[in-house]
Amino acid sequence: QVQLVESGGGLVQPGGSLRLSCAASTSSFRPYVMGWYRQAPGKQRELVAIITSGGITNYAAAVKGRFTISRDNAKKTVALQMNSLKPEDTAVYYCNARLNNIYWGQGTQVTVSS
């Protein structure tokens, strides 16, 4: 069982930055593929970025070059640095852990608006 707790969401102006963090409670964090997903109102949940246990990353086309995912295996955390934010990035952002099972955090709201 893995519990995930996100933090760092909020309101930011277009062009601004936010850093999301996700803390995992598990005895073994390193093997998990960690990811960030988001869900905007009226839309399906979509992948934002993932990072493997070895640090290989993959990004959705809409965020590539603006967002950076990273992990700290010692601290059992995964972060999402979001730069050059756009109104269309507004969504609830969810942390995800995947190995034999899939686990989700409760989500954190990100609102990009002037």
Side-chain angles (χ1 to χ4, degrees), residues 12-15 38-41 43 46 48 62-63 66-67 82 84-93 109-114:
V12 63
Q13 292 186 340
R38 67 186 182 186
Q39 188 167 18
K43 295 187 177 181
E46 62 179 6
V48 175
V63 307
R66 300 188 296 122
F67 292 10
M82 305 185 294
S84 302
L85 283 161
K86 304 175 181 180
E88 50 263 44
D89 295 317
T90 295
V92 178
Y93 284 70
Q109 177 70 46
V110 172
T111 302
V112 184
S113 175
S114 55

Side-chain angles (χ1 to χ4, degrees), residues 3-16:
Q3 290 186 324
L4 303 170
V5 179
E6 301 100 335
S7 61
L11 173 65
V12 63
Q13 292 186 340

Side-chain angles (χ1 to χ4, degrees), residues 1-2 24-32 71 73 76 99:
Q1 189 78 348
V2 180
S25 62
T26 173
S27 59
S28 180
F29 177 78
R30 187 182 297 270
Y32 283 86
R71 66 189 293 163
N73 290 327
K76 300 181 182 179
L99 190 59

Side-chain angles (χ1 to χ4, degrees), residues 4-82:
L4 303 170
V5 179
E6 301 100 335
S7 61
L11 173 65
V12 63
Q13 292 186 340
S17 298
L18 276 177
R19 184 177 179 85
L20 305 183
S21 184
C22 172
S25 62
T26 173
S27 59
S28 180
F29 177 78
R30 187 182 297 270
Y32 283 86
V33 175
M34 301 300 298
W36 287 95
Y37 290 70
R38 67 186 182 186
Q39 188 167 18
K43 295 187 177 181
Q44 290 189 331
R45 192 173 298 188
E46 62 179 6
L47 171 71
V48 175
I50 60 170
I51 184 167
T52 69
S53 58
I56 297 172
T57 59
N58 192 30
Y59 296 90
V63 307
K64 192 173 291 186
R66 300 188 296 122
F67 292 10
T68 302
I69 188 171
S70 61
R71 66 189 293 163
D72 185 328
N73 290 327
K75 295 182 178 179
K76 300 181 182 179
T77 59
V78 60
L80 184 69
Q81 178 66 42
M82 305 185 294

